Amino acid sequence: MRKLFLIVLILSSILCFSCYSVKVECCDKIVFEGFGQFTDMSYKGEIIDIIEDDEIEDLKLIIVGKSDFNFNIDLVEGLTDAEAEKIQSMRRKAGAAYYKEFNQKLLKDIPEYNYKNVYVSKYFPQVVLDIDSEELMSNNTNLLKKISTIDLVDTIYVCNNDILIDKLYSSCNLLGVSEEIYNGTLRGNNVKIGMIESGIIDVDHTNFENITVEARDAWYFIENVTDHATTMASCIGGKEGIARGASIYSVQGAGNPSGEIDWLLDKGVDVINCSYGYGTVNGQYSSHSATYDYAIWTYGVSVIAASGNEEDDENDYYISNPGLAYNAITVGGSSNSITKWGYSCYEESSNIDKPTLVSPAYEIITQNANECGSGTSYSCALTTGCAALLMELCPDLKVYPAKLTALLTACANDMNYPSNLESGLDEAVGSGLSNFAECKDSINNCISGTSSSTDQADDYIIDQDIYLEAGKELCIAVAWCGKSNDSVSSWQLNTYILCLFRPAGAQIDFKYSLYNNVLLLRYTTQYTGNYNILLIQEGDLVYSDPTNIFIYYSVRDVE
């Protein structure tokens, strides 16, 4: 078997299996995703039907290994661009060195077979095998069992080799960022933006003149230029886009994103834009999102993902993957400053509260890209462009994804939707409408702390007083990254309680994380004086790795 890639065979037709089913005896390491009715649970013991009435030619076997790699960094803020780049380079080099050896051991144990393609990840505990579904189903079902007996294997995901789905509908307006765009006061200089899409951008488009853009162009990948990718890149950082000084790196995704993220990490990207959805849409967390969670936790790259668009009432407003990644910033859509865009998805089958916030999604005109459209693709791209400007302003945001999440969450405009969740987020719009101008004004309103193995239940992780005048609108957001080992079942999340006390000492309100890693608390101050912000660890730590926690707060006049 080859170490990296075998030639991808380009197939000209799709073989239809009408009423064709497969019976495989499976163990609890094997998970099936994306076959008609989404199946994200493990099967064991019995012989079962996997596929019925599906048109499937190729399958992906994503072999996830049992990895204990972790690269902890001390919490250091006030970084320069050079310091942030050095930290990111160190953690990514460490991961690449570790997985070079780890994945070769994993690959060595996998049975030889006539795979169509073999991809060995550079930064993840993954080997991805492309295999003809007919051969697997009719002749080689023992392959799954053999792989499942390998000690180093944690999970085997058997996936329909779907392409990605654009999240494109119409468009909307730019956020509170007009001054930076038209005056050039912030341009996203020294920020690298990655894009994973259903295609790659047209690097020769007039909208990218004098803009640093690069699309993956390798003989062993099938890459197609699409209008959707070009339009999203134009929103993010084209000549008329938001972050015109940023570098953009574009790659086409298909199936599990580890290969695409590998390429982007090699390019040194700081944030990845995901204006797409993948797989069956039913609001359930999948291996696709788990891979993003691992990248965010391990390599400190921020991920901004579209929540998705409801199409003809088929999806019940379920958020698609990777928008269900716990550590990702998931962006829904708004029609205006007070109304959710009608097609913006917000439901989940998992326990996490998504979206994180919303951005404009209705009738956005992209200059020089000849596009006018609506959809959470635009919401995602606009938010990514604004994030790049904030990273230029505060390079810490390149290193600590949770710090960016807390900033965007705290500074969003309240859309007066009821906050009916324990986290303080609203079910439909998260923290509200993204507000770049408030982020810029509140960039220094950060309180940080680290939760480590020495902390016990009910310990105070952050205890901070802030002086406020009466009659102000206070918004506090807390964010931290949960730990992922690149498998759905390996997700781990510590639990915290955010409390606010008035000057007299009485508790005003509290928010409880439970299944979330973002908390939001809003309050209109009644008194002038020192208000106390307290973050308490609830219960023992689920994992002992140090967890950097960030609180941002914004203070505004009551309108």
Side-chain angles (χ1 to χ4, degrees):
M1 185 186 299
R2 292 190 184 178
K3 174 173 153 185
L4 290 177
F5 298 107
L6 299 179
I7 297 176
V8 177
L9 299 179
I10 302 175
L11 302 169
S12 59
S13 62
I14 296 179
L15 185 60
C16 176
F17 297 100
S18 177
C19 298
Y20 191 92
S21 66
V22 151
K23 296 189 176 181
V24 184
E25 187 174 333
C26 301
C27 77
D28 57 4
K29 286 185 177 181
I30 302 172
V31 178
F32 294 84
E33 291 184 342
F35 297 97
Q37 181 67 30
F38 188 99
T39 313
D40 70 342
M41 63 203 68
S42 296
Y43 292 97
K44 43 182 134 176
E46 301 289 330
I47 293 181
I48 57 166
D49 288 340
I50 304 295
I51 305 169
E52 287 185 336
D53 301 323
D54 261 324
E55 298 179 358
I56 299 172
E57 186 169 87
D58 295 332
L59 294 174
K60 278 191 184 296
L61 306 184
I62 304 168
I63 317 300
V64 179
K66 297 175 182 176
S67 165
D68 58 2
F69 172 75
N70 196 34
F71 185 81
N72 296 319
I73 60 171
D74 295 331
L75 178 57
V76 180
E77 297 180 271
L79 299 170
T80 64
D81 279 316
E83 290 168 338
E85 185 175 345
K86 182 179 180 180
I87 290 173
Q88 295 299 69
S89 177
M90 287 173 55
R91 76 202 316 183
R92 294 173 189 185
K93 284 181 179 179
Y98 179 89
Y99 285 118
K100 181 178 181 180
E101 180 177 351
F102 179 92
N103 285 341
Q104 285 306 308
K105 291 179 181 178
L106 181 61
L107 182 64
K108 183 179 178 182
D109 291 337
I110 294 174
E112 294 279 351
Y113 186 67
N114 186 28
Y115 302 110
K116 290 178 143 187
N117 188 54
V118 177
Y119 181 77
V120 181
S121 179
K122 182 174 181 178
Y123 294 101
F124 299 85
Q126 279 190 19
V127 173
V128 183
L129 311 172
D130 287 358
I131 187 169
D132 183 272
S133 60
E134 185 176 24
E135 287 197 42
L136 178 68
M137 292 187 289
S138 60
N139 302 320
N140 203 42
T141 57
N142 287 330
L143 177 65
L144 294 175
K145 297 185 216 174
K146 290 178 181 178
I147 297 175
S148 71
T149 63
I150 300 172
D151 290 338
L152 200 58
V153 170
D154 179 79
T155 310
I156 306 165
Y157 293 99
V158 184
C159 301
N160 183 355
N161 195 4
D162 289 335
I163 62 172
L164 308 185
I165 305 167
D166 293 341
K167 294 299 177 189
L168 175 61
Y169 258 64
S170 302
S171 293
C172 191
N173 220 335
L174 297 175
L175 307 150
V177 71
S178 299
E179 178 183 345
E180 281 68 27
I181 293 174
Y182 296 113
N183 296 336
T185 52
L186 288 172
R187 296 174 49 82
N189 295 335
N190 300 314
V191 178
K192 296 181 178 180
I193 301 169
M195 294 179 61
I196 298 180
E197 277 271 353
S198 56
I200 56 174
I201 64 177
D202 179 2
V203 297
D204 297 321
H205 196 284
T206 57
N207 215 23
F208 303 120
E209 290 177 3
N210 301 317
I211 304 290
T212 302
V213 293
E214 181 180 345
R216 184 176 67 177
D217 183 17
W219 63 269
Y220 39 75
F221 288 112
I222 303 172
E223 310 277 3
N224 301 297
V225 172
T226 64
D227 289 341
H228 186 269
T230 302
T231 300
M232 294 307 109
S234 298
C235 288
I236 293 170
K239 287 196 300 185
E240 305 295 331
I242 296 176
R244 304 175 189 185
S247 303
I248 299 177
Y249 299 88
S250 170
V251 60
Q252 180 172 335
N256 186 275
S258 60
E260 288 69 46
I261 302 175
D262 281 349
W263 187 81
L264 293 175
L265 291 178
D266 276 345
K267 297 299 178 181
V269 302
D270 304 301
V271 58
I272 299 173
N273 183 86
C274 300
S275 291
Y276 74 86
Y278 175 76
T280 303
V281 180
N282 68 351
Q284 295 192 24
Y285 182 80
S286 78
S287 62
H288 200 86
S289 287
T291 297
Y292 278 102
D293 274 328
Y294 184 82
I296 299 165
W297 165 264
T298 307
Y299 300 112
V301 61
S302 291
V303 173
I304 300 177
S307 71
N309 310 317
E310 174 62 24
E311 301 180 15
D312 301 322
D313 297 323
E314 292 181 356
N315 301 332
D316 294 324
Y317 290 92
Y318 280 128
I319 293 173
S320 56
N321 293 286
L324 292 167
Y326 286 77
N327 294 332
I329 298 167
T330 303
V331 187
S334 68
S335 294
N336 52 47
S337 62
I338 60 171
T339 307
K340 180 183 79 71
W341 182 57
Y343 297 100
S344 178
C345 291
Y346 59 89
E347 294 283 2
E348 325 87 11
S349 300
S350 309
N351 292 315
I352 189 169
D353 297 338
K354 294 283 186 174
T356 314
L357 73 169
V358 297
S359 285
Y362 181 63
E363 293 187 353
I364 296 177
I365 298 174
T366 309
Q367 297 291 333
N368 296 332
N370 299 318
E371 286 287 341
C372 174
S374 299
T376 57
S377 280
Y378 289 96
S379 309
C380 181
L382 294 172
T383 305
T384 297
C386 290
L389 301 191
L390 294 170
M391 287 177 173
E392 178 187 355
L393 189 63
C394 177
D396 291 1
L397 301 174
K398 297 180 179 181
V399 176
Y400 305 113
K403 188 168 184 176
L404 176 62
T405 302
L407 176 61
L408 291 172
T409 304
C411 296
N413 289 344
D414 187 1
M415 298 175 69
N416 296 316
Y417 281 70
S419 178
N420 52 3
L421 303 173
E422 290 181 337
S423 64
L425 298 173
D426 172 70
E427 181 182 29
V429 298
S431 61
L433 180 65
S434 182
N435 184 338
F436 172 83
E438 187 62 30
C439 288
K440 183 180 175 184
D441 290 344
S442 304
I443 197 76
N444 294 320
N445 294 351
C446 183
I447 310 166
S448 59
T450 300
S451 177
S452 65
S453 59
T454 59
D455 293 314
Q456 306 297 319
D458 301 326
D459 276 0
Y460 293 179
I461 307 302
I462 294 175
D463 183 357
Q464 182 74 40
D465 288 344
I466 58 173
Y467 180 84
L468 298 171
E469 296 178 351
K472 298 292 184 180
E473 180 186 327
L474 172 66
C475 186
I476 307 168
V478 187
W480 63 99
C481 287
K483 183 178 181 180
S484 171
N485 287 328
D486 199 19
S487 170
V488 170
S489 61
S490 71
W491 174 255
Q492 295 176 297
L493 187 65
N494 293 327
T495 303
Y496 302 96
I497 302 173
L498 171 65
C499 302
L500 178 65
F501 294 86
R502 61 170 50 100
Q507 180 174 295
I508 297 170
D509 198 0
F510 73 94
K511 300 299 175 184
Y512 182 50
S513 65
L514 193 58
Y515 303 112
N516 291 276
N517 53 341
V518 178
L519 296 175
L520 177 71
L521 191 155
R522 281 193 171 96
Y523 176 69
T524 301
T525 58
Q526 305 297 314
Y527 308 95
T528 296
N530 286 321
Y531 287 77
N532 180 245
I533 299 173
L534 189 63
L535 188 71
I536 304 171
Q537 179 181 308
E538 171 69 6
D540 293 330
L541 292 175
V542 177
Y543 52 88
S544 59
D545 305 271
T547 300
N548 296 322
I549 304 172
F550 299 92
I551 293 178
Y552 260 104
Y553 63 92
S554 69
V555 182
R556 289 173 259 193
D557 293 330
V558 177
E559 296 182 355

